[in-house]
Amino acid sequence: MSWTEERIERLKSMWSEGSTASQIADELGGVSRNAVIGKAHRLGLEARPSPVKPGEEKETPKKAAKAAAPKAAKAPKAEPPAAAANAADVAPGDAPDGPGPDLPSQAPQAQRPQAATPDATLQYRSVGPGGFIRQGPGDTQAPIPPAPPRRLVPAKPSAEVADKTSLLDLNDRICRWPIGHPGEPDFHFCGQSANPGFPYCVQHCGVAYQAQLPRRDRRPPPPLPFGGPRVR
DNA sequence: CCCTGATTCGC
DNA sequence: GCGAATCAGG
């Protein structure tokens, strides 16, 4: 699998949105987590908040011997003064409290002006029994919550999904092969009788499971499990 | 153990 | 340039 324009683009956006290297690797398919990290660094995407603590450094004998030279080049990284200044600029009211560092939107990483992906920061919040409302990061004023309905009734499934196998229909006897993309109106599952002992029907087992060949001889590009790349 | 990202280095 | 192996922290 090679780094095509599309795949690099996907990597860039997901990386800057805060997806983990593993998630990116899964999504792209055909590459390892390490490959993603390696590529990201080669692209210069570097330096986003990682679980690694930048604070201190121990000197184990092994490391001292091995990394004596490289350490110099590694040094310029986190800049506590700048970070502190940024934190001071933030108004007391909008401190990033709720979400953890995993969430893409308002993590302290936002200081790096990335050209792409200014979106994907919509927030959904519950307004109580009335349901949910959507709020973008640019919305300064709190949206007016809709008047709560008298009672809550189950939403009717859309016509597209009415006959199809939904998430709730899944069990261990029917094929769980996804058709379409999650979030799209007609996303559903295969629903055929599953091959006993497998999560898929016989046909989809044929797609999902393939004989393991020696690395060099692996021919077919791995089947894309969700019906192929999303086209927009 | 699991996970994370960072780095190295043979290819 | 690529990515497995390895390192290091959570």
Side-chain angles (χ1 to χ4, degrees):
Chain A
M1 195 55 78
S2 62
W3 287 107
T4 64
E5 203 63 50
E6 292 84 356
R7 290 162 63 77
I8 291 177
E9 208 41 49
R10 193 69 171 283
L11 161 60
K12 280 184 185 172
S13 66
M14 289 187 73
W15 182 270
S16 56
E17 278 171 25
S19 301
T20 68
S22 300
Q23 290 171 328
I24 299 174
D26 285 348
E27 182 74 22
L28 290 175
V31 287
S32 69
R33 181 181 75 90
N34 276 319
V36 168
I37 294 176
K39 184 62 179 174
H41 284 207
R42 263 174 259 125
L43 286 170
L45 293 183
E46 206 169 348
R48 51 178 200 156
S50 101
V52 182
K53 195 191 291 177
E56 33 191 332
E57 196 157 294
K58 280 185 202 167
E59 279 291 321
T60 70
K62 190 195 268 180
K63 184 174 181 179
K66 188 173 186 176
K71 199 176 297 176
K74 182 183 172 183
K77 257 234 171 113
E79 290 171 5
N86 271 349
D89 284 345
V90 176
D94 37 49
D97 44 344
D102 268 346
L103 293 189
S105 43
Q106 54 272 69
Q109 76 193 67
Q111 59 203 35
R112 178 165 296 270
Q114 202 74 26
T117 71
D119 63 325
T121 47
L122 281 184
Q123 273 197 342
Y124 290 83
R125 38 170 54 105
S126 169
V127 292
F132 298 84
I133 56 172
R134 213 172 46 167
Q135 186 175 21
D139 300 339
T140 59
Q141 186 173 355
I144 300 144
R150 293 228 168 95
R151 59 199 173 101
L152 297 175
V153 297
K156 287 181 189 164
S158 66
E160 292 93 332
V161 209
D163 295 51
K164 307 193 174 123
T165 304
S166 83
L167 187 60
L168 296 179
D169 300 323
L170 292 183
N171 63 49
D172 58 348
R173 253 161 288 115
I174 68 176
C175 178
R176 296 172 172 72
W177 189 267
I179 311 286
H181 298 275
E184 287 175 358
D186 62 342
F187 174 64
H188 62 284
F189 296 88
C190 167
Q192 298 275 322
S193 296
N195 196 5
F198 293 90
Y200 308 125
C201 65
V202 185
Q203 287 82 3
H204 285 134
C205 275
V207 186
Y209 303 104
Q210 309 212 341
Q212 176 82 78
L213 296 173
R215 283 183 184 280
R216 217 45 259 177
D217 303 40
R218 292 190 197 164
R219 292 300 332 176
L224 295 168
F226 307 114
R230 182 188 299 261
V231 186
R232 277 240 167 106

